[in-house]
Amino acid sequence: MNESTRRHPATVTAAPEVHQPTPIVVRPAAPVPVQPHTVPSVASVVLPDGRIVTGYAVDPVQPEPVTAKPVVSRAAVNIALGGVGFLAVCGGLLLLTTFITALTALITQLITLAAVLFGGFIAVQALTAGSRGGGRTTVNIRKAVIKRNHVHS
């Protein structure tokens, strides 16, 4: 290293920091007409280090006005809507029970009809079996005398 490029630690001075403000350019899409009484005032503030900051004064934020309460509370509305829903469900349940009752009656009638048809079929088979030529069975019944738990025939 050269002597000219080498610096002695005691002779090194800190470089001053320079802050250059960057202007912000705002170009509105269309010019907005401003009424004379709405032009904000410009305020200047001197900082402790001597700098002066200039800008528009900011108005304090106004709280939202309190809205009037509705005449009917939300709880009452919710209870009323719940009642309407309950009535709708009860009507549906009534229709469901009516449908189940009608279905049960239909199934009962079908079972009864099947029993009558099956019984009629069996009766027809039994009665027509006797009219056929073959298959007759003769049963002889004798007079039995019962004396003291003993059968004499």
Side-chain angles (χ1 to χ4, degrees), residues 88-143:
V89 168
C90 286
L93 289 177
L94 182 64
L95 289 175
L96 183 64
T97 54
T98 305
F99 175 73
I100 290 172
T101 305
L103 188 63
T104 304
L106 176 67
I107 291 173
T108 304
Q109 288 177 357
L110 289 176
I111 291 173
T112 305
L113 179 64
V116 168
L117 290 177
F118 183 71
F121 178 73
I122 296 298
V124 168
Q125 293 298 321
L127 291 176
T128 56
S131 64
R132 293 183 193 154
R136 286 192 178 183
T137 306
T138 304
V139 177
N140 294 323
I141 300 175
R142 296 182 183 175
K143 185 177 179 185

Side-chain angles (χ1 to χ4, degrees), residues 27-86:
R27 295 184 182 140
V32 179
V34 178
Q35 300 297 331
H37 59 30
T38 60
V39 174
S41 60
V42 177
S44 295
V45 177
V46 179
L47 298 177
D49 62 355
R51 293 183 293 167
I52 298 174
V53 178
T54 303
Y56 292 107
V58 177
D59 294 329
V61 177
Q62 298 294 329
E64 292 283 331
V66 178
T67 58
K69 288 188 175 182
V71 178
V72 180
S73 69
R74 287 190 177 271
V77 171
N78 289 339
I79 290 172
L81 289 176
V84 170
F86 181 74

